[in-house]
Amino acid sequence: MKHVILWTSVVTGILAGIEARAESDLSARFKWFSSAAALPSADVLRSEKGTPAYDHNADLRVLMRGSAGRLRFAADYSATWVAGDSFAFGDSAHLDERPTEDASRLMNLTQTIDEGSRHLFVHRFDRLAVEYRDPRLAITVGRQAVSWGSGHVFQPMDLFNPFAPTAVDRDYKPGDDIVLIERAFATSGLQLLHVARRDAGERAGSDSYAALWHGFLGPAEVELMAARHYRDDLLGMTLKLPLGLAILRTDIVGARLDHDGDRRISGIVNLDFAFQLFQRTGLAFAEYFHNDFGVDTLTTELPAPLGDRLAKGELFNVMRDYLAAGASYQWHPLWSQSLVWIGNLNDGSSLVQTSLTYDPSDSSRVQAGFVAALGEEGSEFGGRPVDEGVTTGGGTRAFVRMLYFW
């Protein structure tokens, strides 16, 4: 209860200051997400809960924005309820964002209202930040989200809460406690940030420090990144180059691991282009991803650097080489569809995901689709081994997502 009182006092004070000096804005989003999964015979969840497995998620997000002179304020409050068969096992399909806990974040802005074996009800502030901005300089302090990189499906350059390749709900990225400084120059820009964290009582080595420079080299757009991420040193580069009607993008990230000094290089290269078909707009892309933390052969034991990144939500795939291809198309002003295929080039397994979106108004949306895993038992997408004769993942999942904004 004391956390609720503290949050309420902070937000009330911010809004009171905004209303006294300038303008404020209040909006909200309600989301309902349900999924049903037909699980393989060896799946660990099927052995406990049977099949099909059903999961549900309801989320209310209230967005508060305001400004006073050169100061801007943001506070996003969310109340989230999740329930279902796979609750205790985690969402292996990564279709929907689960409630985010603050165990490692500097500020504890999350509180559990109710919890059981098959459900969880939490509320939290996912944004709580103040920003100073002038024409060339911006300084933002507090709970906020930062996204780097140019991947369509895979995000090796995005160090902070990247979306899973199969994530359906990408409206709001989870925030971190960040000091972000942005400086604009004549033809370039620079971002400096510090992500503050807690680490089980030991702060040393748990924070992240990073710099990203953005500029141009002839027709190409270039980004250079240097970071101290937890205890590892990282260097990264993004290149975006127009090729006729298409755009070529590549992200390359090199890491020197602290625990053994080993060096890993991961990256993506993709090509996308927009097209017109029957006077409607579409987009098609292809993307290759090399995961240097991945393994060549699947076993029940994963290397520590890979397992650590999977646990932190920085990686979602366990092998080394992947190819993705996809397209989106607007069939009608109110109807659009997306299709993505993700292939594991090491074991031959793959995923196909498609969704159909209906926008009946500016304030509502309905989305339905499915994810089908194509692969043998023991492959990454067909069912990754977790024990002798036991797998996780695989099968087919159908979902429906409904949104209402006001």
Side-chain angles (χ1 to χ4, degrees):
M1 180 60 70
K2 65 181 181 180
H3 293 103
V4 178
I5 295 173
L6 174 62
W7 303 341
T8 305
S9 299
V10 170
V11 175
T12 301
I14 290 176
L15 293 179
I18 293 172
E19 291 175 354
R21 300 183 57 188
E23 298 181 354
S24 62
D25 180 67
L26 184 68
S27 59
R29 182 198 76 158
F30 176 76
K31 176 193 72 174
W32 180 274
F33 190 103
S34 289
S35 65
L39 303 173
S41 59
D43 188 87
V44 61
L45 176 57
R46 178 168 178 167
S47 66
E48 294 286 336
K49 302 294 183 181
T51 188
Y54 298 99
D55 293 282
H56 311 284
N57 182 330
D59 178 78
L60 174 65
R61 188 180 186 100
V62 181
L63 299 83
M64 295 163 275
R65 300 289 185 271
S67 61
R70 292 187 173 181
L71 293 179
R72 299 179 182 178
F73 307 89
D76 286 11
Y77 167 83
S78 67
T80 306
W81 172 82
V82 294
D85 296 319
S86 65
F87 171 73
F89 293 83
D91 185 7
S92 60
H94 300 292
L95 293 177
D96 191 38
E97 287 296 317
R98 308 249 325 180
T100 304
E101 47 81 28
D102 287 337
S104 63
R105 288 179 170 83
L106 182 64
M107 297 188 292
N108 184 11
L109 302 181
T110 300
Q111 186 179 45
T112 300
I113 299 174
D114 188 33
E115 184 176 9
S117 61
R118 297 186 72 255
H119 75 279
L120 176 67
F121 186 23
V122 302
H123 64 162
R124 68 190 307 268
F125 277 99
D126 190 51
R127 301 286 189 274
L128 190 62
V130 59
E131 176 191 42
Y132 168 84
R133 179 175 291 272
D134 68 23
R136 288 191 173 271
L137 177 68
I139 302 174
T140 310
V141 180
R143 181 66 57 86
Q144 56 187 299
V146 174
S147 296
W148 290 350
S150 58
H152 285 285
V153 175
F154 305 101
Q155 303 291 344
M157 189 87 159
D158 195 348
L159 308 180
F160 316 109
N161 304 308
F163 288 116
T166 52
V168 176
D169 185 359
R170 297 179 180 234
D171 292 344
Y172 298 100
K173 185 181 182 184
D176 277 311
D177 298 327
I178 299 174
V179 177
L180 175 65
I181 301 173
E182 300 171 277
R183 180 69 164 88
F185 302 98
T187 58
S188 63
L190 179 66
Q191 294 184 22
L192 305 173
L193 66 80
H194 171 209
V195 182
R197 302 186 183 92
R198 291 173 289 155
D199 185 14
E202 181 187 356
R203 284 292 305 280
S206 61
D207 290 1
S208 292
Y209 305 86
L212 181 77
W213 176 85
H214 174 270
F216 295 88
L217 185 61
E221 216 175 321
V222 180
E223 293 179 349
L224 301 176
M225 184 263 293
R228 174 73 171 178
H229 186 46
Y230 291 92
R231 296 179 183 271
D232 299 333
D233 296 321
L234 281 72
L235 292 174
M237 181 184 73
T238 293
L239 178 68
K240 303 175 185 178
L241 181 66
L243 297 176
L245 298 178
I247 298 179
L248 176 71
R249 298 179 176 88
T250 182
D251 295 344
I252 300 174
V253 180
R256 184 180 67 84
L257 307 187
D258 174 75
H259 79 284
D260 61 1
D262 195 11
R263 288 171 168 78
R264 309 290 178 92
I265 299 178
S266 300
I268 62 161
V269 58
N270 64 47
L271 186 72
D272 65 59
F273 64 94
F275 62 89
Q276 293 284 328
L277 181 64
F278 304 121
Q279 299 182 334
R280 299 292 180 191
T281 301
L283 176 74
F285 73 88
E287 180 169 284
Y288 167 75
F289 171 47
H290 175 71
N291 172 24
D292 212 17
F293 291 95
V295 296
D296 293 313
T297 304
L298 280 180
T299 64
T300 57
E301 296 293 330
L302 296 176
L306 174 60
D308 180 57
R309 282 155 181 79
L310 292 171
K312 291 176 181 176
E314 296 178 18
L315 276 176
F316 302 90
N317 299 96
V318 298
M319 299 191 77
R320 298 179 66 84
D321 297 290
Y322 298 85
L323 183 65
S328 59
Y329 183 70
Q330 186 182 44
W331 296 101
H332 180 273
L334 303 181
W335 293 90
S336 60
Q337 185 175 4
S338 65
L339 174 67
V340 177
W341 172 84
I342 302 173
N344 183 323
L345 301 181
N346 300 118
D347 67 14
S349 64
S350 63
L351 281 176
V352 176
Q353 177 175 318
T354 187
S355 64
L356 186 64
T357 301
Y358 173 55
D359 293 287
S361 70
D362 291 338
S363 60
S364 58
R365 178 177 302 156
V366 179
Q367 187 176 16
F370 69 88
V371 180
L374 308 174
E376 297 180 355
E377 182 181 311
S379 63
E380 179 174 10
F381 295 130
R384 182 162 60 90
V386 295
D387 204 346
E388 186 68 30
V390 180
T391 65
T392 183
T396 300
R397 287 170 167 82
F399 62 87
V400 61
R401 177 172 174 255
M402 293 175 285
L403 300 174
Y404 184 76
F405 307 88
W406 68 93

